[in-house]
Amino acid sequence: DVKVTQSSRYLVKRTGEKVFLECVQDMDHENMFWYRQDPGLGLRLIYFSYDVKMKEKGDIPEGYSVSREKKERFSLILESASTNQTSMYLCASTTGGYRNQPQHFGDGTRLSIL
Amino acid sequence: AQTVTQSQPEMSVQEAETVTLSCTYDTSESNYYLFWYKQPPSRQMILVIRQEAYKQQNATENRFSVNFQKAAKSFSLKISDSQLGDTAMYFCAFGPNFGNEKLTFGTGTRLTIIP
């Protein structure tokens, strides 16, 4: 089975801090994604990556950056955390190519910015 | 840009009953994929069912089935003989046929199965 592991289930940080959320997948997937989940808004795509060192902005990239130095690892960075970034963050991965294969999700990181 | 609409924020049904979750979408593409994902409380999001738009036959996975109406751009999920373990958030998602595998998600339906 595919395993997508997010480094923390719960995280509390202060405004202005630089925050790193880590995600690792063990199935050699080409594509990796970071989503933000908020009540009433569903999942919104922040960034995704389709290869090492490749990234594309999603729907809400402002205030975030990403890094993918190795195929299995995709990091989300909050450059200067703000209270409106308090949310659940989900990482996902999928194999590349046609036919839109299902995404596999991690357990999520519930991030609180105080 | 594609949009996905789930008009039922919350639903509840008695155990063993059948329930249908609604989803509509908007796209100008002719071929694409549709998904239902399930997120149990405090647990990982998992795929429930996947439908390829060029296939007319509705997808089925055990107690889960879809009613795919391409012309109406409707993709509802039917859960038969509902069980307590079906309690979860359910998300409908649209995926393009080509490109980068990005999904567009709906806002979700919180389903509660009542014992």
Side-chain angles (χ1 to χ4, degrees), chain B residues 39-99:
Chain B
Q39 186 182 41
S42 301
R43 290 176 61 190
Q44 195 176 64
M45 179 114 58
I46 58 173
L47 177 71
V48 176
I49 206 162
R50 174 176 177 260
Q51 174 81 42
E52 300 179 56
Y54 68 87
K55 289 188 177 179
Q56 296 198 350
Q57 185 173 7
N58 288 325
T60 299
E61 289 287 340
N62 300 313
R63 297 181 295 105
F64 297 87
S65 62
V66 297
N67 183 5
F68 173 49
Q69 302 288 330
K70 191 174 184 180
K73 297 180 181 175
S74 171
F75 183 61
S76 60
L77 175 70
K78 185 172 83 171
I79 306 173
S80 303
D81 185 25
S82 56
Q83 301 174 359
L84 297 180
D86 296 333
T87 292
M89 281 290 290
Y90 287 82
F91 292 97
C92 178
F94 173 100
N97 187 45
F98 294 97

Side-chain angles (χ1 to χ4, degrees), chain B residues 1-73:
Chain B
Q2 290 81 15
T3 59
V4 177
T5 302
Q6 293 179 250
S7 58
Q8 306 151 311
E10 294 189 22
M11 297 183 71
S12 60
V13 295
Q14 294 289 139
E15 190 176 7
E17 289 185 350
T18 294
V19 60
T20 299
L21 280 59
S22 301
C23 173
T24 59
Y25 58 94
D26 189 24
T27 183
S28 58
E29 299 176 20
S30 59
N31 201 15
Y32 47 86
Y33 294 83
L34 295 163
F35 304 83
W36 279 99
Y37 282 88
K38 169 185 176 181
Q39 186 182 41
S42 301
R43 290 176 61 190
Q44 195 176 64
M45 179 114 58
I46 58 173
L47 177 71
V48 176
I49 206 162
R50 174 176 177 260
Q51 174 81 42
E52 300 179 56
Y54 68 87
K55 289 188 177 179
Q56 296 198 350
Q57 185 173 7
N58 288 325
T60 299
E61 289 287 340
N62 300 313
R63 297 181 295 105
F64 297 87
S65 62
V66 297
N67 183 5
F68 173 49
Q69 302 288 330
K70 191 174 184 180
K73 297 180 181 175

